């Protein structure tokens, strides 16, 4: 009996996802809905410290290359059996990753933030752009692709329709390996017990992906004009300069920390620690706060506190920053605290995932996306730490975290088409 291909409506799925008030780290049962869509996937629920994480995976090679002994092999044999663990590393593994948690909606919405509403070409709701649109797109694309594989008449029934804007003469069975989904409820929070924790557990099971797409909103003016192939890191710092409090009328009896640091401020505030590169802007030291004293006009401060941040490229490390500041301030009494909240990464532009995604987007849109490393941090950094070739691709980013967050409906549909084409064209 031929398997029916179930084509999900990405917008209807997105509306359902928005209706779950998943403010970090709440999950609100949203994973039950996603598991219903990907009902034939193996499931790992990896919760930690109140954070709910889920990893769903399916070995498509067992479907597309059935054994002679069991021609109807499905995903009944887990990737985690003793034989499967040995085979996993040799199979291509593509993971779609993201988060279901959202920031608090705040006051002033024109509609209920967790009741999705359509106005014109836009769908409104908290998480519409960041990033339930991306989750909806890849879940729907994965479901349709797997159903195509299960139908056994993949090429005849779907390929020409799906790839009508691509090279239809190419003979390909699409992605043939382990296909997975990684979701967390802690990306908008501390992000310690989310994706980072899941990857630690996957490494123990030999289930780390080789390639990953994080569906964060990355487009700028129109869908597909930018994807992220890297991100800057983030280093937070606290510098304290120590002096001796005293009366302003007797400056010789005081040691004013403001006067101590003043000659060095031009080489701290706004200072470029490197020259940047083709992929990254210079790693700039940005002062965010300076304070000291008693807020009176007749007493000098006993000490001065300077807080700063560096969004660092791969050319500057935490130790580079420490050496620079310690050398610069060697002659004045001070203390320095540095903390790397995220590390920079850069995915090779020639990697398979980058090249294939660029080809799909260029064919779909008629123009190639800009390969960027701009913006803040994302969970892609954790995947990169494990050597995963990771790229970020999603809808436009213009209302994330804002009141009346919205997403363009056509962009969600285009993103779903993009992910489906990526799966279909993988073997080309």
């Amino acid at each position: 009996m031929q398997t029916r291909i179930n084509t999900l409506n990405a917008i209807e799925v997105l509306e359902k996802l928005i209706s779950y008030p998943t403010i970090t780290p709440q999950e609100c049962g949203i994973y039950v809905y996603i598991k219903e869509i990907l009902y034939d996937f193996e499931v790992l629920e990896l919760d930690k410290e109140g954070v709910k994480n889920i990893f769903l995976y399916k070995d498509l090679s067992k479907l597309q290359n059935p054994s002679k002994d069991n021609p109807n092999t499905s995903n009944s044999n887990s990737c985690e059996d003793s034989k499967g663990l040995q085979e996993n590393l040799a199979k291509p593994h593509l993971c779609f990753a993201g988060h279901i948690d959202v920031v608090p909606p705040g006051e002033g919405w024109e509609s209920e933030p967790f009741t999705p509403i359509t106005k014109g070409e836009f769908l409104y709701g908290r998480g519409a752009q960041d990033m339930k649109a991306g989750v909806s797109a890849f879940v729907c694309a994965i479901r349709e692709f797997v159903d195509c594989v299960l139908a056994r008449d993949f090429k005849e029934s779907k390929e020409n329709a799906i790839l009508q804007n691509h090279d239809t003469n190419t003979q390909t069975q699409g992605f043939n390996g382990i296909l997975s989904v990684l979701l967390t409820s802690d990306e908008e929070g501390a992000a310690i017990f989310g994706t980072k924790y899941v990857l630690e557990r996957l490494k123990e099971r030999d289930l780390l992906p080789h390639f990953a797409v994080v569906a964060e909103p990355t487009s700028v003016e129109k869908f597909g004009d930018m994807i992220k192939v890297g991100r800057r890191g983030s280093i937070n710092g606290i510098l304290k300069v120590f002096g001796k409090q005293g009366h302003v009328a007797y400056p010789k009896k005081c040691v004013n920390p403001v006067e101590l640091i003043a000659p060095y401020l031009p080489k701290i505030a706004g200072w470029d620690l490197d020259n940047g590169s083709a992929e990254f802007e210079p790693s700039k030291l940005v002062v965010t706060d300076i304070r000291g004293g008693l807020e009176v006009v007749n007493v000098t401060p006993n000490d001065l506190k300077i807080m700063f941040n560096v969004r660092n490229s791969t050319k500057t490390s935490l130790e580079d920053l420490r050496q620079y500041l310690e050398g610069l301030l060697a002659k004045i009494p001070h203390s320095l605290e540095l903390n790397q909240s995220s590390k920079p990464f850069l995915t090779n532009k020639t990697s398979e995932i980058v090249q294939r995604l660029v080809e799909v987007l260029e064919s779909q849109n008629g123009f190639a996306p800009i390969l960027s490393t701009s913006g803040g941090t994302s969970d892609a950094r954790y995947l990169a730490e494990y050597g995963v070739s990771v790229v970020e691709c999603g809808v436009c980013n213009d209302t994330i975290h804002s009141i009346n967050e919205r997403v363009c409906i056509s962009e969600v549909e285009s993103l779903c088409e993009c992910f489906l084409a990526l799966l279909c064209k993988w073997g080309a």
Side-chain angles (χ1 to χ4, degrees):
M1 179 177 178
Q2 179 173 304
T3 302
R4 181 177 65 86
I5 296 173
N6 179 26
T7 303
L8 292 172
N9 185 310
I11 303 305
E12 291 178 0
V13 172
L14 175 55
E15 289 175 336
K16 181 70 172 178
L17 296 179
I18 291 173
S19 71
Y20 292 90
T22 52
I23 298 172
T24 310
Q26 300 175 62
E27 178 264 341
C28 301
I30 197 172
Y31 291 156
V32 173
Y33 176 61
I34 293 172
K35 286 190 291 184
E36 288 174 353
I37 296 175
L38 302 179
Y39 59 87
D40 51 348
F41 277 55
E42 298 284 340
V43 179
L44 292 176
E45 296 181 356
L46 302 165
D47 302 343
K48 179 76 170 178
E49 300 295 332
V51 174
K52 291 186 177 296
N53 308 298
I54 191 170
F55 183 75
L56 304 100
Y57 62 99
K58 190 175 187 69
D59 188 348
L60 297 182
S61 67
K62 295 179 180 179
L63 300 176
Q64 301 190 46
N65 305 296
S67 65
K68 293 181 180 180
D69 295 332
N70 186 9
N72 297 315
T73 300
S74 66
N75 204 41
S76 58
N77 293 325
S78 170
C79 295
E80 291 192 88
D81 59 33
S82 58
K83 183 178 180 181
L85 288 173
Q86 298 174 1
E87 295 176 346
N88 288 345
L89 296 177
K91 296 175 183 177
H93 181 170
L94 172 61
C95 177
F96 286 86
H99 62 92
I100 52 86
D101 62 314
V102 298
V103 297
E107 302 294 332
W109 283 67
E110 295 177 2
S111 58
E112 289 297 321
F114 295 110
T115 301
I117 183 172
T118 299
K119 296 180 182 179
E121 60 182 321
F122 296 100
L123 178 64
Y124 288 77
R126 173 56 85 222
Q129 280 189 337
D130 189 15
M131 62 166 286
K132 290 181 177 179
V135 174
S136 171
F138 66 61
V139 167
C140 291
I142 289 171
R143 180 70 272 161
E144 183 165 355
F145 177 72
V146 173
D147 284 350
C148 289
V149 173
L150 288 169
R152 298 295 183 196
D153 58 352
F154 173 58
K155 293 183 177 61
E156 290 77 9
S157 65
K158 295 301 293 183
E159 186 173 5
N160 288 339
I162 294 169
L163 303 176
Q164 57 184 333
N165 296 322
H166 298 268
D167 179 9
T168 55
N169 293 320
T170 300
Q171 296 299 312
T172 174
Q173 61 181 348
F175 182 77
N176 185 13
I178 299 172
L179 183 59
S180 65
V181 169
L182 191 165
L183 294 170
T184 181
S185 67
D186 187 37
E187 195 272 351
E188 299 289 6
I192 298 173
F193 303 118
T195 300
K196 181 177 184 292
Y197 173 72
V198 174
L199 292 171
E200 292 170 359
R201 302 287 77 81
L202 294 182
K203 181 176 174 60
E204 295 172 354
R205 292 172 163 87
D206 285 336
L207 272 175
L208 284 173
H210 301 103
F211 312 97
V213 177
V214 180
E216 290 279 5
T218 59
S219 300
V220 182
E221 298 294 334
K222 53 187 175 181
F223 170 72
D225 61 359
M226 179 181 290
I227 61 177
K228 306 286 187 179
V229 295
R231 293 277 188 164
R232 296 172 298 173
S234 180
I235 304 173
N236 300 310
I238 299 176
L239 171 65
K240 291 183 179 179
V241 180
F242 303 109
K244 181 180 178 182
Q245 180 178 306
H247 197 296
V248 295
Y250 304 96
K252 291 183 179 180
K253 296 182 179 181
C254 310
V255 179
N256 193 331
V258 177
E259 295 175 2
L260 292 179
I261 195 65
Y264 302 98
L265 272 178
K267 292 188 176 182
I268 296 176
W271 186 258
D272 287 342
L273 297 160
D274 57 51
N275 296 323
S277 64
E279 294 84 12
F280 290 100
E281 295 179 356
S283 302
K284 185 181 294 292
L285 201 161
V286 179
V287 173
T288 58
D289 190 81
I290 300 179
R291 64 184 63 201
L294 303 176
E295 294 191 60
V296 295
V297 297
N298 59 350
V299 181
T300 63
N302 193 59
D303 53 59
L304 186 73
K305 180 181 179 181
I306 300 176
M307 302 180 73
F308 59 90
N309 177 269
V310 177
R311 294 302 168 105
N312 63 308
S313 72
T314 53
K315 297 181 68 175
T316 294
S317 68
L318 182 146
E319 285 307 314
D320 293 332
L321 173 60
R322 185 186 302 280
Q323 291 179 19
Y324 172 75
L325 289 175
E326 293 290 9
L328 180 69
L329 305 174
K331 294 182 180 180
I332 64 174
H334 70 278
S335 67
L336 178 64
E337 298 177 21
L338 297 176
N339 173 57
Q340 180 103 48
S341 58
S342 64
K343 295 181 180 179
F345 75 91
L346 180 65
T347 300
N348 193 319
K349 295 179 181 179
T350 64
S351 68
E352 191 169 9
I353 186 63
V354 174
Q355 291 297 306
R356 290 189 182 281
L357 190 56
V358 168
E359 289 170 4
V360 166
L361 286 170
E362 187 169 10
S363 178
Q364 182 176 345
N365 297 329
F367 58 86
I370 295 172
L371 305 183
S372 173
T373 62
S374 62
T377 61
S378 78
D379 278 358
R381 68 189 189 270
Y382 294 128
L383 287 149
E385 283 188 36
Y386 283 91
V388 179
S389 292
V390 58
V391 62
E392 299 174 57
C393 175
V395 297
C396 280
N397 174 350
D398 59 357
T399 64
I400 68 170
H401 293 201
S402 69
I403 294 172
N404 299 321
E405 181 181 352
R406 68 183 190 180
V407 67
C408 183
I409 291 172
S410 63
E411 290 180 14
V412 182
E413 295 169 338
S414 295
L415 182 61
C416 184
E417 179 186 345
C418 167
F419 291 155
L420 182 55
L422 177 67
L423 291 169
C424 292
K425 293 291 289 182
W426 190 270

